[in-house]
Structures are given as C-alpha cells and as structure tokens.
C-alpha cells in the first residue's frame, strides 16, 4: 500500500509509515490558535490569579471526569491547549500523582514521544528531566508539569471576563480592574469605557509602550467585536455578550517565514538574491540554530524575521499577523542581541542594566521593581551566584583597553538587557563568536534553560562544538540564500548531509560534518533532497496552517512619538553624563585642549603690535570653539550605532536621544570655552567684556556640536568621522574672514563666506570688542573700527548675526534628525 502522507510504498500491516513516521489511521488536523503560559517577573500574584479573584465565576475551568488527569491537545476544551497544526485535537493525557506521572498518547496523528523522537509511546512515566515531543513540537517535561500544576490549582487561563463596570482600568496596578502583571504594562495602562450595551471606547492612559487596536497605536478609539486590542504581549477582543476574550499570553509566540526573498543590486546594477523563497515555522520554546557557509544569508534571514530588514518579497509573520505591518505592536515581544555589543563599556553591569530598564520599561516602574528584575535576570544567567560568591553588578563592563568582565559574561549581560522586558522570542547573532569553548558552553547552557522555560530562541552560530551543537532542538541550514535543511539538530542534520557515511560514527563526532556534507554536492541537489524528505513534511508543510493563510506582507512606518520626551531625555542625559564622568582619560584630554590652546594664543600675542591685535586672537577663539564642538561630538553617534539601532527599534525617540547628546556636549564645551576665553582674556588687552566673548564662543561651540553630530550620523565608522572633521573646519578658517578681511575678498568668496558659520561668529565677536566701552551694548546699532576694517560694507546688525548663528545650529540639528529618521529600518 502507499502512505497517504509521503506516498512511499509500505506494508499493509504497518500502523506507522517507516519513512515519515505518520499514522495510517487518520490525517493531520491543521487548525490552531495559540499555546498559553504566563510570566510573573515581579514575584507578585499573577494576572490569572488577580483576574480569578476579580471575577471568579467567569474563569474557564475545563471539566475533568477523573481526578489528577490533565488533557493536552489543540481543542479549546483541553486543560493545556497547544493549538498548532501538528497537534491533534485530543493529543495526550497527563495523569497520576506528581511522584508518578504518566503521559498517555490518545491516538494522535503525529504521535507522542518521550526523549526519543523515533519511538512513539502509548504510555510512559515521565519526570522533570525528560523531553516530550508532540509530533515535531518539543516541550520540556518540567515545563509541562508546571502547566499541569497551574491547572490543578485552578490557575488555568481565563477565557472570558465579564465587564461589570462602566469604566475599567487595565494595568499592572494591583488595584486595576483588569490586572496584567507584566513588565511592559504600565500601572494604569488603558481605560475601557462602556458607552452602551454594544459600544465601548478604549483609551490609552499615556502608557510607555502604547495601546494598539488591530496593530495600530491609538490614543482613544471606539471598538467592536471584530477589533483586537493589544497591550504588551496581551491581546483581547470583546464578545457579542460584551465579555473580554483573552487571546495571547506571554511565551505565546509562533513565527513564520513565508516565502521570504531578499534581493540587492550589485555594482553592475544586476539583481542578486541574498534570500530565495525561504519558508519555515518556529514554534514556542524551541531552541533553533541557523548555520551556513560564509555569505549564505544567515544574518539576512534572521534580520528579515525579527524586524530589522524588510524582505523584498514574502512575509515574516508572528501569531498569524504580518510583523512589518504591525511592528509597533510586536516590538516589545522581540529581543535581539546583535553581534556587536549593545552596552557602553564605561558603565558597570548594574548601571548598564538599570539605564536600559529605565528606558524600556514603563516610566512608573519603581527602582525596587527594576532592582528585582536585574537580580532575577542576572541570577538566571549565572552572573549572580551566591554559592560561588559571584556578583558582577558593580564590575565595569570594560573594553580591550580597559579590562572588565570576561567575554562570556559580556555576552550574557547583552542578553540580560533584552530579558528585562521579558520578550517572548530572542534572536541572537553569533552569541558565541570569539568566546572560549568553556564560555561558549556557559552561554549555550543559559539559552537552553531559557528555552526550557518557554522562550523561543533563534541564533546564528559558527563552528560550534558537538556539545554546544546538541543543546539546540532544531537546525536551519542555508546556502546561497536557499533552505537546505530545517529539522532536528542531532543526529538528524549530520546524517542528512552524510547519508553515504551514516553507518560511520565519525560523522557524529563533529558539527562540522553538516557543512562538509553540504559542500560535497551541488546546492540544487540538497535543495531538492530536502523538499522530498520527511523533515520538510514535518517541519515545514505540517506546521503550516492551511486553514488560515498567512497575511500579505505590509510595511508601516516605525511609530514612535515624534514629540520630545522629557523623561526619556533625562534618562539618556543621565546615562551619557555618567559615561563621560567615568571615561576619565578621554574626558580629561578633551578639557585640557582649551587651556593648552589658550596658553599658546596668549603666549604668541602677548605684547604684539596693535595692528595684529586683537583681530587674530579673537578669530582664533571662534575657530577653537568651533573645533571643540565639532571634534567632541563627531564620533558620538557612530561609535554607538549598534546601541542606538537596538534602542530605536524598541522605543527610543530621536529628539530625546539627540538633545541628550547636545546637553552633555554643551556642558563640556561651556567648560572649555570658559577656560579658553578666560586665559586669553586675562593675558591680552581687550576692550570687549569677558561675558560677551564667552557668549560668542559658546554659540560657536554649539554650531560645532550640531555639525559634529551630523558628521557622526552620515559616516559609517569613527575613522571616517575623524577624517572628515578637518575637511569641514579648514574651509571655515579660510572663509571666516580671519586670514583675509571679507571686504578684501573677491565677489565669489565674499558671498560664499555667508555660508560659513565662522564668518558670522567672527563678526559678532568683533562687535563685542568694538562696543566694549559700552557695557550695555547697543544691540541694534552697528559697531565701529575693527568690524569696519574686516568686513567693510558687508557688516551686519547684531540681531542678524545672532539669527544666522541660530539658523546654523537649527539647520544641522534638523539635518541630523532627518538622516536618523531616514535610516529607520521599518
């Protein structure tokens, strides 16, 4: 007879196909909703407990006919709902006391396995250390038992909650009408208002992470039974009876790559496919590796799936919704650790985590709650271990030049930053790159534990050891942008690419044999081989929801509030100031520039004949101030591009970020200008006042800061930024009027000088000198002597000069904002 799943010839007496392992009794049922679990990071009562307390009669309690029996399956009537295509409607039964738990298969289509995926069970005793497979879906026995305990204690997820009040507050506050105890939820997050028996309004209460209706962030909106309301990781809708129906909970993430392709143009203008029509599905709590030869498209695939790089065609889909069409709603559910560090090396571990928590968590999160989260996450990641007297909270992160924590600890701190917001899925780009074998195993052990607790982990990895390789559940292998394999990691992936050597134990000794086998035959061979394999059937075709087609990819602009956020600015400014304060050597070198330059100017122009004084030293004050601002800030954005990009994809607002840089840089420049002007003013004989000279110098430095930040935005590396600074400053020196008077320039040069900030600052400081005898300064009168000598008929009024200087500052700030916005991924 022929297997109705894979069409291979099998014996009539076979109950299961020897090729694909499918039962011959019934076909796969492919409808699904979502798996349900919970997370309670603050060690307070869970939202399920709170909701049960608020509305006990409305909590869904599955009917049990036998004591200590817990049903598992895709159907909503089960105690534990795992609603995926590969799970049968009534898949398994967990029964017995906790010291003698028995797992029974209920004649499921894709079978139940304990530890060994090749041996389906009818009944088996399980304990915490076992691994359970429902078809291709893997879950640790420990986590399954924890879910059973919640069911037995009556903490099963409430399916319906009646609305008994006209105004219902939703939030993290214990006194909220509908309590959602989750880091991304504000204490008072949203308000649900009943206008009539059929009409409701949902209002956002200025929450940090927003309220969404059908994937769009809203302030206030009428809602109906067809609308889906999302707050953090929780989604709701209203029933016709006006009851709240809860859909998604934390750890409820299924992600689909649906025919993803990514095309770029090479130098000749020809199109090159980096990714070519890749489809696969990753289920909750799976630990998935991503491998391939150099240039295979690993990182591109990861970035396309996690929201950093929109694919040319196809879609990245989360829980049945387009990621790029609903990115604003999903951003808090996705954690991403790029290969570059997303931590400032000058900070201690605690400071880095604390500032990240302040930025990403709701603004009403208390310091005690943040400290609890930091300790919890660091303990889970092995960064705090009382048994070994290990606690690195107060250790500096460090850099190659300033040693701090180890490489393995650094990777885990990067991960800890993402875990602060309790994301449901974690993407990591080469988290073991550059680590020793021991540190690699530590990191992989941490990720394995996170997956066992319900997190979905996807990571690119390069040349893993066999011990590290075995820790991953499934493996994605790509080459030239095409899917070569997606299935179990060990030993299946090694055997798949080395079928001729499958009898030899040698191929099971090294993870390198997967890519070695791949390289021995054409890619087209492996692509077709995989499409015809049982792995493609189980991990791609069977997981795809045929009854609910995946949505067409849509893109929406990254929706962070454009307005200036004072709280975020204050946090960013505080962090940036702390960084500068701790970077003692570099900050000291910046500050020392001013007295050194000032002393040189004072030494050269002390007792110099009158015709050379004071025009030239005043011009040097202006140029030096421009230099301070430009050189100080030219590397500030480009040096932390990975950090900016990650924080921007979470909730960073560009104006808050940019003005935090300006605030701290302005303070540094003010100190520099005080020293510069003060020393020169003390040694040289000026008519103008110190106060007016300082004002001009400080305004000039602000122009420099705005120019430097713009340079830092448009350059790709710190070296490029440093190289461009002289190219920007030299024209200011040449055209500024200090080397040759503006009135003596040719016509072209005269008009070009108007485009140079130094020309305006120089004229303003000469005005201050000319009007120095009058302390009150006649702002709307022209100056005399030096200004006339240098500028002639091109002399301007003071208010025109100040306006021009402010326009230069505003122009470069605006250009910087425009460039940063243009580089937004979504």
């Amino acid at each position: 007879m022929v297997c109705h799943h894979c069409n291979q010839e099998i014996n009539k007496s076979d109950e299961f196909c020897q090729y694909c392992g499918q039962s011959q009794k019934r076909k796969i049922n492919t409808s699904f909703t979502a798996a349900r679990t919970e997370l309670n990071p603050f060690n307070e009562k869970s939202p399920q407990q709170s909701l049960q307390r608020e509305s006990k009669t409305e909590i869904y309690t599955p009917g049990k006919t036998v004591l200590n029996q817990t049903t598992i399956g895709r159907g909503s009537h089960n105690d534990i709902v795992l609603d995926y295509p590969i799970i049968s409607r009534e898949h398994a039964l967990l029964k017995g006391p906790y010291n003698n738990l028995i797992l029974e298969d209920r004649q499921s289509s894709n079978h139940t396995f304990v530890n060994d995926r090749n041996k389906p069970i009818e009944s088996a005793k399980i304990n915490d250390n076992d691994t359970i497979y429902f078809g291709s879906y893997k879950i640790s026995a420990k986590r399954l038992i924890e879910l059973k305990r919640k069911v037995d204690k009556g903490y099963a997820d409430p399916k319906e909650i009646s609305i008994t009040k006209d105004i219902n507050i939703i939030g993290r506050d214990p006194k909220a009408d509908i309590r959602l105890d989750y880091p991304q939820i504000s204490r008072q997050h949203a308000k649900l208002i009943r206008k009539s028996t059929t009409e409701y309004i949902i209002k956002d209460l200025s929450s940090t992470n927003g309220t969404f209706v059908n994937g769009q962030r809203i302030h206030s909106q009428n809602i109906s039974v067809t609308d889906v309301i999302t707050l953090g990781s929780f989604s709701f809708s209203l029933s016709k009876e006006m009851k709240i129906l809860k859909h998604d909970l934390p750890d409820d993430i299924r992600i689909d790559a649906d025919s993803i392709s990514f095309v770029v143009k090479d130098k000749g203008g020809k199109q090159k496919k980096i990714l070519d029509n890749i489809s696969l599905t990753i289920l909750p709590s799976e630990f998935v590796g991503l491998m391939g030869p150099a240039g295979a498209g690993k990182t591109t695939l990861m970035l396309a799936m996690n929201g950093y790089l929109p694919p040319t065609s196809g879609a990245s889909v989360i829980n049945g919704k387009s990621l790029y069409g609903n990115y604003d709603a999903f951003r808090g559910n996705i954690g991403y650790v790029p290969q570059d560090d997303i931590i400032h090396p000058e900070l201690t571990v605690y400071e880095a985590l604390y500032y990240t928590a302040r930025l990403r968590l709701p603004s009403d999160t208390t310091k005690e709650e943040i400290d609890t989260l930091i300790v919890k996450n660091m303990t889970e990641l092995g960064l705090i271990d009382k048994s070994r007297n290990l606690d690195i909270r107060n250790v500096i992160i460090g850099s190659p030049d300033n040693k701090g924590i180890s490489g393995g600890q650094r990777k885990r701190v990067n991960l800890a930053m993402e875990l602060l917001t309790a994301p449901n899925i974690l993407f990591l780009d080469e988290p073991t790159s550059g680590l020793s074998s021991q540190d690699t195993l530590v990191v992989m052990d941490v990720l394995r534990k996170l997956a066992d607790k319900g997190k979905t982990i996807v990571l690119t990895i390069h040349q893993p050891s066999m011990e590290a390789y075995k820790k991953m559940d499934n493996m994605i292998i790509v080459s030239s942008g095409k899917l070569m394999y997606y299935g179990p990691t060990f030993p299946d992936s090694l055997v798949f690419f080395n079928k001729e050597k499958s009898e030899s134990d040698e191929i099971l000794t090294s993870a390198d044999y997967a890519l070695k086998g791949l390289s021995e035959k054409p890619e087209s061979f492996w692509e077709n081989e995989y499409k015809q394999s049982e792995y493609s059937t189980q991990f791609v075709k069977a997981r795809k929801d045929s009854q609910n087609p995946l949505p067409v990819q849509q893109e929406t602009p990254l929706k962070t509030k454009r307005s200036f956020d004072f709280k975020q600015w204050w946090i960013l400014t505080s962090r940036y100031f702390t960084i500068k304060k701790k970077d003692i050597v570099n900050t000291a070198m910046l500050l020392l520039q001013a007295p050194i330059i000032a002393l040189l100017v004072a030494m050269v122009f002390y007792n110099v004949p009158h015709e050379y004084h004071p025009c030239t030293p005043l011009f040097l004050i202006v140029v030096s101030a421009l230099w301070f601002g430009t050189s100080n800030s030219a590397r500030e954005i480009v040096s932390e591009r990975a950090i900016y990009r990650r924080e921007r994809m979470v909730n960073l607002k560009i104006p808050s970020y940019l003005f935090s840089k300006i605030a701290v840089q302005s303070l540094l420049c003010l100190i520099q200008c005080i020293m510069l002007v003060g020393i020169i003013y003390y040694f040289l004989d000026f008519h103008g006042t110190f106060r007016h000279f300082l004002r001009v110098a400080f305004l000039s430095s602000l122009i420099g800061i705005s120019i430097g930040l713009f340079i830092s935005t448009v350059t790709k590396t710190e070296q490029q930024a440093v190289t461009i600074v002289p190219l920007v400053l030299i024209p200011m020196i040449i055209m500024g009027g200090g080397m040759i008077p503006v009135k003596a320039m040719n016509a072209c040069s005269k008009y070009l000088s108007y485009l140079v900030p130094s020309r305006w600052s120089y004229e303003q400081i000469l005005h201050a000198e000319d009007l120095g005898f009058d302390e009150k300064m006649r702002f709307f009168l022209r100056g005399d002597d030096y200004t006339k000598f240098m500028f002639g008929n091109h002399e301007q009024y003071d208010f025109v000069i100040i306006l021009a200087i402010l326009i230069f500052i505003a122009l470069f700030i605006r250009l910087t904002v425009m460039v940063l916005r243009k580089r937004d991924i979504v």
Side-chain angles (χ1 to χ4, degrees), residues 260-306:
I260 286 181
S261 294
F262 187 77
V263 180
V264 297
K265 289 184 179 180
D266 59 21
K267 294 181 179 179
K270 294 182 180 180
Q271 290 189 339
K272 179 182 179 181
K273 278 195 172 184
I274 305 299
L275 298 176
D276 189 1
N277 198 35
I278 292 181
S279 294
L280 53 88
T281 299
I282 299 172
L283 297 179
S285 75
E286 290 188 329
F287 186 9
V288 180
L290 178 52
M291 287 179 58
K298 303 183 293 295
T299 298
T300 306
L301 177 59
M302 173 176 283
L303 296 180
M305 292 177 69
N306 70 11

Coordinates of all heavy atoms in Angstrom, one line a residue, residues 260-306:
I260 N 10.1 34.1 2.1 CA 11.0 35.3 2.2 C 12.1 35.3 1.2 O 12.8 34.3 1.0 CB 11.6 35.4 3.6 CG1 10.5 35.8 4.6 CG2 12.7 36.3 3.7 CD1 11.0 35.9 6.0
S261 N 12.1 36.4 0.4 CA 13.2 36.6 -0.5 C 13.8 38.0 -0.2 O 13.0 38.9 0.1 CB 12.7 36.5 -1.9 OG 12.3 35.2 -2.3
F262 N 15.1 38.2 -0.5 CA 15.7 39.5 -0.3 C 16.7 39.7 -1.5 O 17.6 38.8 -1.7 CB 16.4 39.5 1.0 CG 17.0 40.9 1.3 CD1 16.1 41.9 1.8 CD2 18.3 41.2 1.1 CE1 16.6 43.2 2.0 CE2 18.8 42.5 1.4 CZ 17.9 43.5 1.8
V263 N 16.4 40.7 -2.2 CA 17.2 41.0 -3.4 C 18.0 42.3 -3.3 O 17.4 43.3 -2.8 CB 16.3 41.0 -4.7 CG1 17.1 41.3 -5.9 CG2 15.5 39.7 -4.8
V264 N 19.2 42.3 -3.7 CA 20.0 43.5 -3.7 C 20.6 43.7 -5.1 O 20.6 42.7 -5.9 CB 21.1 43.5 -2.7 CG1 20.6 43.5 -1.3 CG2 22.1 42.3 -2.9
K265 N 21.1 44.9 -5.4 CA 21.8 45.1 -6.7 C 23.3 45.2 -6.5 O 23.8 45.8 -5.5 CB 21.3 46.4 -7.3 CG 19.9 46.3 -7.8 CD 19.5 47.6 -8.5 CE 18.0 47.5 -9.0 NZ 17.6 48.8 -9.7
D266 N 24.0 44.5 -7.4 CA 25.5 44.5 -7.2 C 26.0 45.8 -7.9 O 25.2 46.6 -8.4 CB 26.1 43.3 -7.8 CG 25.7 43.1 -9.3 OD1 25.3 44.1 -10.0 OD2 25.8 41.9 -9.8
K267 N 27.3 45.9 -8.0 CA 27.9 47.1 -8.5 C 27.6 47.3 -10.0 O 27.5 48.5 -10.5 CB 29.4 47.1 -8.4 CG 29.9 47.1 -6.9 CD 31.4 47.1 -6.8 CE 31.8 47.1 -5.4 NZ 33.3 47.1 -5.2
G268 N 27.3 46.2 -10.7 CA 26.9 46.4 -12.1 C 25.4 46.6 -12.3 O 25.0 46.7 -13.5
G269 N 24.7 46.8 -11.2 CA 23.3 47.0 -11.4 C 22.4 45.8 -11.5 O 21.2 45.9 -11.6
K270 N 23.1 44.6 -11.5 CA 22.3 43.4 -11.6 C 21.8 42.9 -10.3 O 22.4 43.2 -9.2 CB 23.2 42.3 -12.2 CG 23.7 42.5 -13.6 CD 24.5 41.3 -14.1 CE 25.0 41.6 -15.5 NZ 25.8 40.4 -16.0
Q271 N 20.6 42.3 -10.3 CA 20.0 41.9 -9.1 C 20.6 40.6 -8.6 O 20.9 39.7 -9.3 CB 18.5 41.7 -9.3 CG 17.7 42.9 -9.5 CD 16.2 42.7 -9.5 OE1 15.7 41.6 -9.7 NE2 15.5 43.8 -9.2
K272 N 20.8 40.5 -7.3 CA 21.4 39.3 -6.6 C 20.5 38.9 -5.5 O 20.1 39.7 -4.6 CB 22.8 39.6 -6.1 CG 23.4 38.5 -5.4 CD 24.8 38.8 -4.9 CE 25.5 37.7 -4.2 NZ 26.8 38.0 -3.6
K273 N 20.1 37.7 -5.5 CA 19.2 37.1 -4.4 C 20.1 36.7 -3.2 O 20.8 35.8 -3.3 CB 18.4 36.0 -4.9 CG 17.1 36.4 -5.7 CD 16.2 35.3 -5.9 CE 14.9 35.8 -6.5 NZ 13.9 34.7 -6.6
I274 N 19.9 37.4 -2.1 CA 20.5 37.0 -0.9 C 19.7 35.9 -0.2 O 20.3 35.0 0.4 CB 20.7 38.2 0.1 CG1 21.4 39.4 -0.7 CG2 21.4 37.9 1.3 CD1 22.8 39.1 -1.1
L275 N 18.4 36.0 -0.3 CA 17.5 35.0 0.2 C 16.5 34.6 -0.9 O 16.0 35.5 -1.6 CB 16.7 35.5 1.4 CG 17.5 35.9 2.7 CD1 16.5 36.5 3.8 CD2 18.2 34.7 3.3
D276 N 16.3 33.3 -1.0 CA 15.5 32.9 -2.1 C 14.3 32.0 -1.7 O 14.5 30.8 -1.4 CB 16.4 32.1 -3.1 CG 15.7 31.7 -4.4 OD1 14.5 32.1 -4.6 OD2 16.3 31.1 -5.3
N277 N 13.2 32.6 -1.4 CA 11.9 31.9 -1.2 C 12.0 30.9 0.0 O 11.7 29.7 -0.2 CB 11.5 31.2 -2.5 CG 10.0 30.8 -2.5 OD1 9.2 31.5 -1.9 ND2 9.7 29.6 -3.0
I278 N 12.4 31.4 1.1 CA 12.5 30.5 2.3 C 11.2 30.5 3.1 O 10.7 31.6 3.5 CB 13.7 31.0 3.2 CG1 15.0 30.7 2.4 CG2 13.7 30.3 4.5 CD1 16.3 31.1 3.2
S279 N 10.8 29.3 3.4 CA 9.6 29.2 4.3 C 9.9 28.2 5.4 O 10.4 27.1 5.1 CB 8.4 28.7 3.5 OG 8.0 29.6 2.5
L280 N 9.5 28.6 6.6 CA 9.6 27.6 7.7 C 8.8 28.2 8.9 O 8.4 29.4 8.9 CB 11.1 27.5 8.1 CG 11.9 28.7 8.4 CD1 11.8 29.1 9.8 CD2 13.4 28.4 8.0
T281 N 8.6 27.4 9.9 CA 7.8 27.8 11.1 C 8.6 27.4 12.3 O 9.0 26.3 12.5 CB 6.4 27.1 11.1 OG1 5.7 27.5 9.9 CG2 5.6 27.5 12.3
I282 N 8.7 28.3 13.3 CA 9.3 28.1 14.6 C 8.2 28.2 15.6 O 7.5 29.2 15.7 CB 10.4 29.1 14.8 CG1 11.5 29.0 13.7 CG2 11.1 28.9 16.2 CD1 12.6 30.0 13.8
L283 N 8.1 27.2 16.5 CA 7.1 27.1 17.5 C 7.6 27.6 18.8 O 8.8 27.7 19.0 CB 6.5 25.7 17.6 CG 5.8 25.2 16.3 CD1 5.4 23.7 16.6 CD2 4.7 26.0 15.9
P284 N 6.7 28.0 19.8 CA 7.2 28.4 21.1 C 8.1 27.5 21.8 O 8.0 26.3 21.6 CB 5.9 28.6 21.8 CG 4.8 28.8 20.8 CD 5.2 28.0 19.6
S285 N 9.0 28.0 22.5 CA 10.0 27.3 23.3 C 11.0 26.5 22.6 O 11.7 25.7 23.2 CB 9.3 26.5 24.4 OG 8.8 25.3 23.9
E286 N 11.1 26.7 21.3 CA 12.1 25.9 20.5 C 13.4 26.7 20.5 O 13.5 27.9 20.4 CB 11.6 25.7 19.1 CG 10.5 24.7 19.0 CD 10.1 24.3 17.6 OE1 10.3 25.1 16.7 OE2 9.7 23.2 17.4
F287 N 14.5 26.0 20.6 CA 15.9 26.5 20.5 C 16.4 26.1 19.2 O 16.8 25.0 18.9 CB 16.7 25.9 21.7 CG 18.1 26.4 21.8 CD1 18.5 27.6 21.1 CD2 19.0 25.8 22.7 CE1 19.8 28.1 21.3 CE2 20.2 26.3 22.9 CZ 20.6 27.5 22.2
V288 N 16.5 27.1 18.3 CA 16.8 26.9 16.9 C 18.1 27.5 16.5 O 18.3 28.7 16.7 CB 15.6 27.4 16.0 CG1 16.0 27.1 14.5 CG2 14.3 26.7 16.3
G289 N 19.0 26.7 15.9 CA 20.2 27.3 15.3 C 20.1 27.6 13.9 O 19.3 27.1 13.2
L290 N 21.0 28.5 13.4 CA 21.0 28.9 12.0 C 22.4 28.9 11.5 O 23.3 29.7 12.0 CB 20.4 30.3 11.9 CG 20.3 31.0 10.5 CD1 19.7 30.1 9.5 CD2 19.6 32.3 10.6
M291 N 22.7 28.0 10.6 CA 24.1 27.8 10.1 C 24.1 27.9 8.6 O 23.1 27.8 7.9 CB 24.6 26.4 10.6 CG 24.9 26.3 12.0 SD 25.5 24.6 12.5 CE 26.9 24.5 11.4
G292 N 25.3 28.0 8.1 CA 25.5 28.0 6.7 C 26.9 28.5 6.3 O 27.6 29.1 7.2
P293 N 27.4 28.3 5.1 CA 28.7 28.8 4.7 C 28.8 30.3 4.8 O 27.7 30.9 4.9 CB 28.9 28.2 3.3 CG 27.8 27.2 3.1 CD 26.7 27.6 4.0
A294 N 29.9 30.8 4.6 CA 30.1 32.3 4.6 C 29.3 32.9 3.4 O 29.4 32.4 2.3 CB 31.6 32.7 4.5
G295 N 28.5 33.9 3.7 CA 27.7 34.5 2.6 C 26.5 33.8 2.3 O 25.9 34.0 1.2
A296 N 26.1 32.9 3.1 CA 24.9 32.0 2.8 C 23.6 32.8 3.0 O 22.6 32.4 2.5 CB 24.9 30.8 3.7
G297 N 23.6 33.9 3.8 CA 22.4 34.6 4.1 C 21.8 34.4 5.4 O 20.7 34.7 5.7
K298 N 22.7 33.9 6.4 CA 22.2 33.6 7.7 C 21.7 34.9 8.4 O 20.5 34.9 8.9 CB 23.3 33.0 8.5 CG 23.9 31.7 8.0 CD 25.0 31.1 8.9 CE 26.2 32.0 9.0 NZ 27.0 32.1 7.8
T299 N 22.6 35.8 8.5 CA 22.2 37.1 9.3 C 21.0 37.8 8.6 O 20.1 38.3 9.2 CB 23.4 38.0 9.4 OG1 24.4 37.3 10.1 CG2 23.0 39.3 10.1
T300 N 21.0 37.8 7.2 CA 20.0 38.4 6.5 C 18.6 37.8 6.8 O 17.6 38.4 7.0 CB 20.2 38.4 5.0 OG1 21.5 38.9 4.7 CG2 19.2 39.2 4.2
L301 N 18.6 36.4 6.9 CA 17.4 35.7 7.2 C 16.9 36.1 8.6 O 15.7 36.3 8.8 CB 17.6 34.2 7.1 CG 16.4 33.3 7.5 CD1 15.2 33.7 6.6 CD2 16.8 31.9 7.3
M302 N 17.9 36.1 9.5 CA 17.5 36.5 10.9 C 16.9 37.9 11.0 O 15.9 38.1 11.6 CB 18.7 36.3 11.8 CG 18.4 36.9 13.2 SD 19.8 36.6 14.3 CE 19.7 34.9 14.7
L303 N 17.6 38.8 10.3 CA 17.1 40.2 10.3 C 15.8 40.4 9.6 O 14.9 41.2 10.0 CB 18.2 41.1 9.7 CG 19.5 41.2 10.4 CD1 20.4 42.2 9.6 CD2 19.4 41.7 11.8
A304 N 15.5 39.6 8.6 CA 14.2 39.6 7.9 C 13.1 39.1 8.8 O 12.0 39.6 8.8 CB 14.3 38.8 6.6
M305 N 13.5 38.1 9.7 CA 12.4 37.5 10.5 C 12.2 38.3 11.8 O 11.1 38.3 12.3 CB 12.9 36.1 10.9 CG 12.9 35.1 9.8 SD 13.5 33.5 10.3 CE 12.1 32.9 11.3
N306 N 13.2 39.1 12.2 CA 13.0 39.8 13.5 C 12.6 41.3 13.4 O 12.5 42.0 14.4 CB 14.2 39.6 14.4 CG 15.4 40.4 13.9 OD1 15.4 41.3 13.0 ND2 16.6 40.1 14.5

